[in-house]
Amino acid sequence: MDKLIIVDDEYSTRNGLKVCMDWEKYGIIVVGEAENGKKGLELVERVQPDIVITDVKMPIMDGIEMAKQLKALHSNVKIVFVSGYDDIEYLKIAMKMDAVDYILKPVNLAELAEVIEKIMTISKMEKNQRDLLYRMNEKLHLSMPLLREKFLIQLIQDNKWDEASLERRVSFLDLNLPYSGLYCSLIISIDNPRIVFEQISEKETELITFSILNICQELVNFHLGGYVFEHKRGEFVLIVAMPDKEGIEEIFPLINELKASLSGFLKRFITISMTIGVGSAVNQLSGISESYAMASEAIEQKLYLGKNQIITFDVMASNKSVDFRTINEKVEALLSLLKTANTSIIFRHLDELFDALVSNRVLSYKDCQRIWMQMLLNISQFLSEFGIQSEQLGQQESEIWEHLGRIETLDDMKRGLKNYIAVVCTYVEERKEKKTNEVVQDIVRIIENNYQSNLTIAEIASQVYLSQTYICLLFKQETSVTINEYITRVRMEKSKQLLTDTNAKLADISNSIGYSEPSYFSKQFRKYTGMNPSEYRELHQGGLK
């Protein structure tokens, strides 16, 4: 219930106000009364009222002075002035005291009831506001860790902070990060995070994350100072505050202990390794994004240097021009080598390509990934053209494409390619070892049975279930002539027979062997025999007249 005191130099007024109103109806209890302002202030300190009803004009200390001192000490107290008709001037002054209302004597109970209801409405609104503010503060307090983490992520991503706004945020979040000071960013990156976290439960993942953050924060606090947060799954960022005017070497005791402690902890779960990237030192907090960027680039050197290492920003390669033409030529050369099915030669070629990439260390991860993808596409094209298909091979290809997004080093890329190529070469070798005579005989049979039509290589390939490129290559290797040359040979030999054994017209002969134009037939016949059809008939027909 709200507490009320009555301050008036007249006992009858005090008593009347106390007993003539049903205060409990309004949720109010009268907790005291006083005959002047001085005693009223003393009473306020003792009982801490919510509402004060006071006369304006009183001896020793009037209501105006009491209200001034009361508001200075207890600004939320609601004050109602009571005044006689002859105290109007006092009343005008009293109204400047931020009183809720005033009532003229003799007090009208109905008017007093309206004032009390007004006070209770105001009190309820203020209470709701206080409750809302309290709940918001509670939520803000609970959200503070998330707000700090959000700010730290912004800090490593944005270098456009001005000193004033940065200091305001740091102060609000209660972070010990002075604007001027020596800072360094570290990144602890779990190697192959997608593979790692797929092997364990979500509960174990959260436990590992929580433990890594705690271990890192304890070591940072012990050695230097700063903050640790998870930037993304498997990547933990440390913003480390170093002693002023000290070099970057001051951070290495911390790094070495981080590596040892975290490695020991992670071995309790599954085989998990990590790479630590070390950024450069910067002279003010707003420059931490630059240090983070360099630590990220250091982590990317994992591509060349391998996993489970400590990599500093100074090992990064200088900006050299990249000879993509030479690289692409080496990639394209893989197609020719695949035809040999000689894994020793192919693997030596891959070693040379990847050794060149590692020694130069100029390509980004995405560039190396693109090269790897291009080699896979070339292998897929090769298999399609030569009609090499199997369910097992298709499964292998799907797995290696899925594996692409999880590969972090060139060694992993090369190892994956070699494993896949070894399987491909097995199928190529099997195809090479098969008797090609059967395929060639099928092609010959198809040609001899269909030479009268407009026969194409595409139609032949579809009937033997092989690619056009492959049957052309195979037929040429086995017969020393192309398929088109063989089709022409069959047609010419048949036309020679018809010219010798029949009196059929040249147009009919041309049409019967697959040529719709007699002139084209004559041209091809002359090219094949050295004479035109009429000359050949006259020379070879003999008794046919």
Side-chain angles (χ1 to χ4, degrees):
M1 297 182 75
D2 286 355
K3 294 182 288 186
L4 167 71
I5 66 170
I6 302 169
V7 183
D8 196 298
D9 58 340
E10 296 179 2
Y11 171 78
S12 59
T13 301
R14 297 198 307 271
N15 191 59
L17 290 173
K18 183 168 60 175
V19 300
C20 293
M21 285 288 293
D22 184 5
W23 296 108
E24 289 189 5
K25 172 185 174 182
Y26 300 99
I28 297 172
I29 181 173
V30 180
V31 294
E33 54 185 276
E35 61 265 29
N36 58 60
K38 182 178 179 181
K39 289 187 177 182
L41 287 175
E42 293 172 355
L43 181 61
V44 166
E45 292 304 315
R46 290 199 308 273
V47 301
Q48 299 291 311
D50 301 292
I51 306 168
V52 175
I53 298 178
T54 179
D55 193 4
V56 174
K57 192 174 181 181
M58 294 180 292
I60 304 176
M61 180 184 289
D62 60 28
I64 295 173
E65 182 59 31
M66 184 191 73
K68 286 181 181 179
Q69 296 188 34
L70 181 58
K71 279 294 184 180
L73 297 172
H74 306 282
S75 60
N76 291 328
V77 174
K78 307 296 183 294
I79 300 174
V80 178
F81 287 109
V82 178
S83 175
Y85 285 105
D86 57 347
D87 297 332
I88 297 301
E89 291 303 319
Y90 276 99
L91 195 57
K92 289 179 181 178
I93 299 173
M95 285 300 95
K96 297 178 181 180
M97 299 293 103
D98 195 26
V100 175
D101 214 327
Y102 69 91
I103 301 172
L104 293 175
K105 292 181 179 179
V107 176
N108 183 294
L109 294 181
E111 184 181 1
L112 177 60
E114 290 181 5
V115 172
I116 295 303
E117 288 176 356
K118 178 180 177 182
I119 289 174
M120 298 314 295
T121 300
I122 295 172
S123 295
K124 184 177 180 180
M125 291 174 59
E126 289 180 347
K127 183 179 183 301
N128 290 339
Q129 289 176 347
R130 287 194 302 271
D131 289 345
L132 177 61
L133 185 60
Y134 175 79
R135 291 195 300 271
M136 291 177 66
N137 282 330
E138 283 292 302
K139 289 181 179 179
L140 181 62
H141 177 72
L142 294 173
S143 301
M144 195 60 72
L146 291 177
L147 293 175
R148 290 191 185 111
E149 183 176 301
K150 181 180 178 182
F151 166 70
L152 293 173
I153 291 174
Q154 291 175 331
L155 194 61
I156 63 172
Q157 293 177 340
D158 187 3
N159 63 353
K160 297 180 181 179
W161 292 92
D162 62 86
E163 183 174 356
S165 60
L166 196 52
E167 287 183 339
R168 281 197 303 271
R169 291 291 298 278
V170 167
S171 176
F172 167 71
L173 296 170
D174 195 25
L175 294 169
N176 185 19
L177 293 172
Y179 182 80
S180 296
L182 198 63
Y183 293 97
C184 179
S185 178
L186 305 179
I187 297 176
I188 296 174
S189 176
I190 299 295
D191 295 326
N192 300 112
R194 287 180 58 187
I195 297 175
V196 167
F197 293 121
E198 283 177 1
Q199 298 177 38
I200 58 179
S201 67
E202 186 65 25
K203 181 179 180 180
E204 288 175 316
T205 298
E206 293 301 325
L207 175 60
I208 290 173
T209 298
F210 178 77
S211 299
I212 290 175
L213 290 170
N214 277 348
I215 291 171
C216 291
Q217 190 65 65
E218 287 179 4
L219 291 175
V220 167
N221 292 342
F222 177 77
H223 283 275
L224 295 167
Y227 297 92
V228 183
F229 59 95
E230 184 183 24
H231 183 209
K232 52 189 175 184
R233 179 56 60 90
E235 182 186 291
F236 305 89
V237 180
L238 288 69
I239 297 177
V240 181
M242 298 185 293
D244 290 342
K245 300 180 181 179
E246 297 290 344
I248 190 69
E249 61 273 6
E250 289 292 319
I251 206 168
F252 283 98
L254 167 63
I255 295 172
N256 292 330
E257 191 166 350
L258 281 169
K259 188 78 167 69
S261 298
L262 291 174
S263 296
F265 164 74
L266 293 174
K267 286 179 181 177
R268 303 176 193 173
F269 293 87
I270 56 176
T271 303
I272 301 177
S273 64
M274 63 187 172
T275 299
I276 299 179
V278 184
S280 59
V282 293
N283 293 319
Q284 56 190 27
L285 187 59
S286 59
I288 199 66
S289 59
E290 177 185 346
S291 180
Y292 171 78
M294 300 193 81
S296 295
E297 291 183 31
I299 289 289
E300 287 186 0
Q301 291 299 305
K302 179 197 312 186
L303 176 70
Y304 300 101
L305 303 178
K307 295 173 283 191
N308 199 30
Q309 298 195 49
I310 297 171
I311 306 175
T312 59
F313 66 92
D314 56 352
V315 304
M316 291 181 285
S318 58
N319 291 326
K320 302 177 184 177
S321 59
V322 181
D323 186 2
F324 282 108
R325 180 178 179 181
T326 300
I327 292 173
N328 289 333
E329 287 175 354
K330 288 183 177 293
V331 171
E332 294 299 325
L334 182 64
L335 278 176
S336 299
L337 295 176
L338 283 173
K339 296 174 185 177
T340 69
N342 189 322
T343 54
S344 297
I345 296 175
I346 296 172
F347 288 174
R348 186 162 57 249
H349 178 78
L350 286 176
D351 287 338
E352 291 173 358
L353 172 58
F354 279 89
D355 286 347
L357 296 176
V358 171
S359 62
N360 290 325
R361 287 171 38 203
V362 293
L363 292 175
S364 68
Y365 175 81
K366 289 188 178 296
D367 285 330
C368 291
Q369 200 176 42
R370 179 190 61 79
I371 293 170
W372 202 70
M373 291 171 63
Q374 186 60 49
M375 284 190 276
L376 289 180
L377 288 171
N378 287 349
I379 295 171
S380 180
Q381 178 184 352
F382 169 82
L383 293 174
S384 176
E385 288 181 354
F386 284 84
I388 301 176
Q389 299 176 356
S390 79
E391 184 176 344
Q392 180 187 359
L393 198 57
Q395 180 66 28
Q396 289 273 345
E397 184 177 6
S398 298
E399 288 178 0
I400 197 167
W401 274 107
E402 183 181 354
H403 192 51
L404 175 62
R406 305 178 179 186
I407 287 178
E408 292 189 329
T409 69
L410 285 176
D411 276 345
D412 288 343
M413 288 185 183
K414 184 170 68 172
R415 191 179 304 111
L417 272 173
K418 283 185 174 181
N419 291 339
Y420 180 48
I421 287 173
V423 176
V424 170
C425 286
T426 300
Y427 282 88
V428 174
E429 191 63 35
E430 289 177 358
R431 173 57 59 86
K432 288 177 64 178
E433 290 176 356
K434 285 183 178 179
K435 292 181 179 180
T436 57
N437 284 339
E438 294 180 6
V439 177
V440 173
Q441 289 172 8
D442 285 343
I443 294 173
V444 169
R445 177 179 50 77
I446 292 169
I447 292 172
E448 291 180 348
N449 291 337
N450 298 277
Y451 68 88
Q452 306 94 333
S453 63
N454 186 23
L455 187 62
T456 64
I457 293 175
E459 291 174 354
I460 297 172
S462 67
Q463 292 188 51
V464 296
Y465 305 103
L466 296 171
S467 71
Q468 296 181 54
T469 303
Y470 182 69
I471 65 170
C472 288
L473 178 65
L474 183 64
F475 196 87
K476 175 73 173 179
Q477 287 177 341
E478 295 299 314
T479 65
S480 300
V481 297
T482 66
I483 291 177
N484 283 327
E485 288 172 344
Y486 188 78
I487 293 174
T488 300
R489 177 189 295 179
V490 170
R491 286 171 171 170
M492 292 300 104
E493 291 300 323
K494 185 63 178 177
S495 67
K496 286 165 63 177
Q497 180 184 347
L498 292 172
L499 287 168
T500 302
D501 298 340
T502 72
N503 287 321
K505 296 180 180 180
L506 292 182
D508 293 335
I509 293 174
S510 172
N511 188 61
S512 69
I513 62 172
Y515 294 122
S516 59
E517 294 291 335
S519 59
Y520 182 72
F521 160 62
S522 296
K523 181 178 178 180
Q524 290 296 105
F525 190 88
R526 184 174 184 82
K527 183 177 179 180
Y528 184 75
T529 63
M531 60 185 73
N532 60 40
S534 299
E535 293 172 340
Y536 185 88
R537 171 174 275 177
E538 290 178 2
L539 182 64
H540 294 87
Q541 195 171 41
L544 286 176
K545 297 290 184 179

